[in-house]
Structure formats: structure tokens, C-alpha cells
Amino acid sequence: MLTSRTFLKRTRAGAVVKVVREHYLRDDIPCGAAACGLCPPQPAGTGPGTGLEAQPSGAASNLCPGPHYLLPDTNLLLHQIDILEDPVIKNVIVLQTVLQEVRNRSAPVYKRVRDVIQNPEKHFYSFTNEHHRETYIEQKQGESSNDRNDRAIRVAVKWYNEHLKKIENEEKIQVILLTNDRTNKEKALEEGITAYTCEEYIKSLIANPDLLDRLACVSDEGKEIESGKIIFPEHIPLSKLQQGIKSGIYLQGTYRASRDNYLEATVWVHGDAEENKEILIQGMKHLNRAVHEDIVAVELLTKDEWAAPSSVVLHDDGQNEDDIENEEEKENVLKTSVNKDMLRPTGKVVGIIKRNWRPFCGMLSKSQIKEARRHLFTPADRRIPRIRIETRQADTLEGQRIIVAIDGWPRNSRYPNGHFVKNLGSAGDKETETEVLLLEHDVPHQPFSQSVLGFLPKMPWSITEQDMKHREDLRHLYVCSVDPPGCTDIDDALHCRELENGNIEVGVHIADVSHFIRPRNALDEESAKRGTTVYLCEKRIDMVPELLSSNLCSLRSNVDRLAFSCIWEMNHKAEILKTRFTKSIINSKASLTYAEAQMRIDSATMNDDITTSLRGLNKLAKILKKKRIDNGETNSMVEEFMLLANVSVAQKIYDEFPEFALLRKHPAPPPSNYDILVKAAKSKNLEIKTDSAKALAESLDKAESPTFPYLNTLLRILATRCMMQAVYFCSGMDNDFHHYGLASPIYTHFTSPIRRYADIIVHRLLAVAIGADSTYPELTDKHKLADVCKNLNYRHKMAQYAQRASVAFHTQLFFKSKGVVNEDAYILFVRKNAVVVLIPKYGLEGTVFFEEKDKPTPKLDYNHDVPSLTVEDTTLHVFDKVKVNIMLDASNIQHQKIRMLLVEPKV
């Protein structure tokens, strides 16, 4: 059956046109109930979920004791997804109307709903009511879209109940509407539909009282509950904010809370304007309920109200959430007289454009009131405010790491309202803390879903004739890999041989991951989302499933493997004469560790083909970059050819796709970044030149001190801190391609596709460039590629932070067992009230503070020009050797830290 929808639309030119849309209605869409013999069966493996049980199982309800299915409306699905994900809640009908609205309003919730629908144990079913002949409805004249959708939901519930009555079953199954919308519920009851609020239904589950803790704290209209004294200004509505941003009254930007001062934040303004790029926000009323990473609208204050960033550390002790006078006292601490030059553009948050709330890890701060249900939750991330939750299991949750979600932040509440989501385990436990750091750094780490694993090759796998199409057979070459001990995800292998014309052929062979991960399927989407493999101290979070990372794509020795090869013909001066790229099949003759490869190179007796190949590679690598190789170490040898392959591939894909090449750039640091390095070197009578990467490298090589051999290492550490972050970008969206650190005009990542998604995109571009594979629309859309790059840069940054957090946690475990130790250290930086030191024995960095709570503050004199700090009568310079006392400070179980005290010199 065909129906059509007609509506008027205004074009950009201002003309009004009539648009007619055809809308197909069907009578063969199944209801999803397993017991139904009236509907046509759903083809196996194609269903929108696993279907509803014939005899619905799940939690027993004293409101609806008979068998029933649940049908939630849009707001309930959006706000109560934590409840619906619980294993107790089964047999839920998700209407197409609801799913489309959720998709438009919240991508993260939509993804969670889709995952629940795919879970066979949950028995969620997606019903296409908008294309079913008996459940589709037209919008009435004067009816809002929201009211039309509510009516469509009620029509679907009535149809289901009538339809299920016709099924021959022992007990008739009822469909219950779950809605928190008062009007929708009243209309449903008038129409004879059984309807409950989420809270009513959850309270009726006799055996599951803990589920009440997971109810989102919202009113029956889906709005925040407000009552009591008003603390914060009202947020301006979105429509007015957008007008104000357009006219320049307000500025839009990303809100970034301070880790050190909960009454201060900055807003990074979006757009290209250089003026007022970063706006300072101070004081609770001006922060106005914004949360870290929200997109906000800001109004600039007049210049006479501008302030300077505070040097005061203020942490929210949260003893009394109603003590607003105490907050105002703390705000006065921020208002100290400052130099006019230190004033920054200052503003206030007037509205929220987009909330970027996520589930937060942390710990419960149990209320001191006996049998209280309201408690404060303290997030692990100091940039997030405390969250007020209601829970009946506070005694159980004390000392546990838990997850809490924010539901809203009313104007009358000092803190946002939220609800308990999940208990992760005991604080301090290794597994629990690893889970926390993965969640806090947004590292996707759940096991790969069945829909993802379904796209893996079926085992046993072997190379077919079809696989050999557009592929060279290079199994006769003496290829080998060189990696750290215990490496299972071998991305790369090399070969080197002398040609008949006297030149040398060198090949870099990279795992052909893009052969197994095809564009736009579930495996590709999951790999793209993860972006990178994350390496923690005792755990690896793979970007791709283990069957690929440690088996089929790992270039292990003595097995046939598919590869993408970059092959050069060089002369004996390591000058490239020819470059070619080909998909290939290889059979590595040896998987070596660095030590094994070095032993072969140095051996006087070994002269086999692999050893000869290694020596040739090593000789060319030395010529390619003498400065980068330290005594011919083979890890530098491998790195040299990987860099060369990355440069060669970058040039090839850019030549072929000047608008769509995925490249990597490393911006040159602004000269001011080097101030600390230059001054520190000068204090030791050494000159560091920073006008180019080459000049920096050469001056670092010369910066030696016969009496202080470790000085060069310290200078190199400082130089690294001056650098900018390297980033991925799309060539059609940028003009600056230069990679400062490698002194290369163009660069990309090609050599690690098992652990980096960027390399998979680069492989696809290269395959199209050489005619070995076909393209697809997203590959040649520079805006889509720019979005891919944005996600990759974010994932790489968060992976780095997660790795650092893992090292910090394991360092704490180490010193917990060691007790108090004294070790030699070197001063890396001096601050106004502290020195940052490096302890070579442990590779550990830490801060020695000279201002301590409840102790008299010593006289401090900071010298910026000659980096030094005088404490009482003792002057400490950058690079001074000192002795420090190291211990674990576990006074705050959630924020344990390594504490350092200066032992020598005594101050």
C-alpha cells in the first residue's frame, strides 16, 4: 500500500515549493512475538532483534502479575536507559517512532539501544510501526510533531494488545506502556491502555529493590526537579542563544573546568577569531551549572570586571551542600589585586548549547545522617562537580568505585542530581582501578560484539586464488621481522638483497589488514571507533579482534601471510632510484628480537641469507640517518625503514588524491616554548639553537659535559617537553604538511595497521592509487575524512593519558610495597613553590612542594631568568643533583599519589 505526504518547503532563494514524499505501508511486518502464528516469520539472522519470548520471563511485578511486554516512549528510553539495560528487564518493544527520535536527540543513547536490541538474552524487538498498515498515522492539522508521535505510540500499543489477543496461548500477553509524560499517560488510560511511569513499574518489581537506585532523577515531564532557594541564574533558551551568537552578543565555546580550582574554568571559543579565544570564568554563579566539556554560550563582562587566573588551589570539600555563604567567602579569595597585564577576557555562562555528560567513575561520600538516602558522589576527575544521588545501599557502596550518571542540574541545587549506575569493585584493587582508568579516558574496551566478530574470516583460513588477484607472490624472498621480545602483533617485516645490476633492493612488508576489514561493515566501524590499540602496564586493549591482531594479520615466521609491500631500488649510498608499491603474499623466514638480530649482525661465523639481509639493511640505515642510530642498534635500523616507507606512501597518496590524503603533521613549536630549555642550558654555559629542527638536533648533540654525563639526557627530556603534538589531518583541509620532528615535508602512517586505524585508511587510499582495490564514497569525501582524523587524534590522546595513568597506578603499587625510600634525583623544572625532579633509577618524575597544609611556609624566592628557587637560604637550580624521600600518600583513597620530600640539600 502506498500513501503520500505533502508539505511546503522554502528554498534558499526564498521560493515556496510543494514537496510530495511517497510512504510505503505493508501488512507483512512481523510483531516479533515468538508465539505468533499470524505474522509472517522473520528470516533467520535478519531480524531487528532476537524477538519477544512466547512466555515472557523477567522480574515479577505486583502491578502486572500476568505475562507482559513493555513498550517505552521516547523520553523514557532517553532518560532511563540504565534501567532498560539491566538484565532483569526483558521483552521490550522499541517502536520505529521512538528509535528515530532517540537517534535525532542522542547518538550515545541510540548506540546503547541498538546494542541492547542485538543482545539475544534481552529479547528486545524493534517494530517498524511507521511502515505497518495498521499502525501508521498521519499528522493532524494543528497537531505538533511531539503530540503526533505520542499518538502513534498509543496506536501501536492498542494494535499490539488487539493482535496478541488473537494468539492461541495459555495466558494472554499484555503490552504495557511506560511513560513519564503525564499527559501521554492520562490519554493512554482514557483509551483503555495500561500505562505506568518508570518509577511505578520499577517499584512493583518485588525481588529487585536495588533497581530503584538506577532511576534517573527527572520529573514526570522529563525536566529537572526544582524547588527551594534559587542559587543560579536561569539559562537562556537555545533559540535565543543562537540568535545572540549570530549577532555577536554571546560567544559559543567548549567549557573546560580547572583541576586545581573548582570555582574557575575557561571557555575555548569556537571559530577563527583570534581575539578573546579563551575566556576566563570565575565564581559559582558565573560558572552557572556548566560541566567540563559542555558546549556553552558565554557573555563577556565589561573590561573593568576582567580578572586574572587564580594561583590558589581550591578543592570542593563538600561538607555542607547548602552552605552558600561559605562558597561566597571562597570566591573572595579569587579577587586579589593583580598586575594589569595579567588580566584576561572574563565572562559568564548564560546558557548550555549541548551537554556532554558521560557516566562518571568515583566514590560515594556517605551522608553523616543516619539512614539517609541522599548522598554525595565524588568523581575521580577533579574537573567534575560532586553529584547528589539517592541510594538505599550506601553501606555496601562505601569504599567501592562506582559509576554515576548526571540527570540534571536545577537552579536551586548546589550540585547536579544523578543516579547510581554500576558498582565496579573495591577501590585500590588492580582490576577495578584499570577499569576506572579505561572508563575515565573513554577507551572503548568491551569485548567485541557478535555482530563485529561475524565479519571475521571463518577458520581454518587459507589464501585462495581470489586473494591472489592484484597481488605479487614474494614468498621466495628472505623476509624477516625484528620486534621486542614476546611481540604477537607483528605489523612489519623487511628484506634486503643485491640485484644483478649491482644496486640493492629493500622491501618493507606491512600486514594487509584492510584485506580483512572491509569498509562500512560492523568490524570496520568498531575499529574506526577504537582508533588505536591501547597498551597498559599489564593489559592490551586491541583495536581489532585477536584472530587478526595475533594470528591472520601477524607476520609470523614460516606461515603464508598477505602483505602490502613498499619496495625500493637503491644505490650503495642509500639513494632511492625507484619506488613501487604492491599487494603481496610473503612467508617470513625469521621472527627475531632486537637482541637476536644484533647478535647475527655482529657474528663472525653467521653468513646465511637472513643475516646477510640484516647486515645490508643495517648498513643502509646508518647511511640514511647517521645521527638517529646509536652504535648501529637494530631497533633504529627498523625504525629508519618504517619512516622511509611512511614518507614514500605519503607522497604517493597525496600525488594521487591531493584533496583526500590522510597525512600526519607535527607543527613547529612557537619560539617561546623553548625559553625554559635555552635558559636551563645557558645556566650550564651551553648554547641551544632552536631556529630549526636541524639546528636543535645538532646543538643537542654538542651539549655535553665531561663532569656531568647525564646532562645531555636531561636536556633532551626538556627539549621533548617543548614540542607540539603531532596530529592526523586531511590534505584537502590544510596547507601546512610539514613534520617538524622528522624534518620531512610530508608524512603519514602506513606501517602499523594492526594497531592504528589511520594506517587502514592509508592502505585503502594506496590500494586505490595502484589499482589493487576499489574506492567508496567516504574515502573521497574530505569532510568525512576530517571527522575520521578528529576521532583518531582524540583516541590517540586519550590512549596516551590512559597509559600514563596506568604507569602512575603501578608506580603507586610499587612504592606501597617498598615503603619509604631515599634516591638521587635531578631538578627538571622550578616553580614558584616547588621543584619538579626526575629520579633516573625509576624513570620517575615527581614534585617536591615547599608549602604544606598545617605547616609554616618557608621564605621562597623564584628567579625566572636563571631558572632557580631559593628556599630560605638554599638556592636550587635546574639540573642540580638532589636526594629525595619517596613515599605513597594514601590519605585520600581515591586520589592516592607519590609524595616527595627534599632530603639533601637540607632547606
mmCIF file of all heavy atoms in Angstrom, residues 155 278 401 481 528 712:
data_model
loop_
_atom_site.group_PDB
_atom_site.id
_atom_site.type_symbol
_atom_site.label_atom_id
_atom_site.label_comp_id
_atom_site.label_asym_id
_atom_site.label_seq_id
_atom_site.Cartn_x
_atom_site.Cartn_y
_atom_site.Cartn_z
ATOM 1 N N VAL A 155 -1.309 4.262 19.525
ATOM 2 C CA VAL A 155 -1.942 3.443 18.476
ATOM 3 C C VAL A 155 -1.230 2.089 18.365
ATOM 4 O O VAL A 155 -1.866 1.041 18.252
ATOM 5 C CB VAL A 155 -1.928 4.191 17.120
ATOM 6 C CG1 VAL A 155 -2.253 3.241 15.955
ATOM 7 C CG2 VAL A 155 -2.919 5.355 17.135
ATOM 8 N N GLU A 278 40.174 32.584 24.394
ATOM 9 C CA GLU A 278 39.998 31.841 25.640
ATOM 10 C C GLU A 278 39.415 32.781 26.685
ATOM 11 O O GLU A 278 39.989 33.824 26.968
ATOM 12 C CB GLU A 278 41.356 31.298 26.101
ATOM 13 C CG GLU A 278 41.224 30.143 27.055
ATOM 14 C CD GLU A 278 42.579 29.495 27.360
ATOM 15 O OE1 GLU A 278 43.553 29.772 26.640
ATOM 16 O OE2 GLU A 278 42.638 28.747 28.328
ATOM 17 N N ARG A 401 34.509 1.657 44.127
ATOM 18 C CA ARG A 401 34.496 2.522 42.940
ATOM 19 C C ARG A 401 33.158 2.293 42.244
ATOM 20 O O ARG A 401 32.814 1.146 41.929
ATOM 21 C CB ARG A 401 35.627 2.134 41.986
ATOM 22 C CG ARG A 401 37.007 2.511 42.491
ATOM 23 C CD ARG A 401 37.273 3.987 42.329
ATOM 24 N NE ARG A 401 38.695 4.275 42.268
ATOM 25 C CZ ARG A 401 39.190 5.465 41.969
ATOM 26 N NH1 ARG A 401 38.394 6.474 41.727
ATOM 27 N NH2 ARG A 401 40.489 5.663 41.924
ATOM 28 N N SER A 481 61.283 -10.383 10.461
ATOM 29 C CA SER A 481 60.771 -9.303 11.307
ATOM 30 C C SER A 481 61.672 -9.147 12.515
ATOM 31 O O SER A 481 62.294 -10.111 12.970
ATOM 32 C CB SER A 481 59.332 -9.601 11.759
ATOM 33 O OG SER A 481 59.296 -10.783 12.532
ATOM 34 N N ALA A 528 37.249 1.709 13.609
ATOM 35 C CA ALA A 528 37.310 3.176 13.439
ATOM 36 C C ALA A 528 37.011 3.880 14.753
ATOM 37 O O ALA A 528 37.650 4.872 15.100
ATOM 38 C CB ALA A 528 36.321 3.615 12.359
ATOM 39 N N ASN A 712 73.174 15.676 29.174
ATOM 40 C CA ASN A 712 72.623 15.599 27.817
ATOM 41 C C ASN A 712 71.244 14.935 27.815
ATOM 42 O O ASN A 712 70.324 15.370 27.109
ATOM 43 C CB ASN A 712 73.578 14.838 26.884
ATOM 44 C CG ASN A 712 73.152 14.955 25.432
ATOM 45 O OD1 ASN A 712 72.498 14.075 24.900
ATOM 46 N ND2 ASN A 712 73.516 16.076 24.801
#
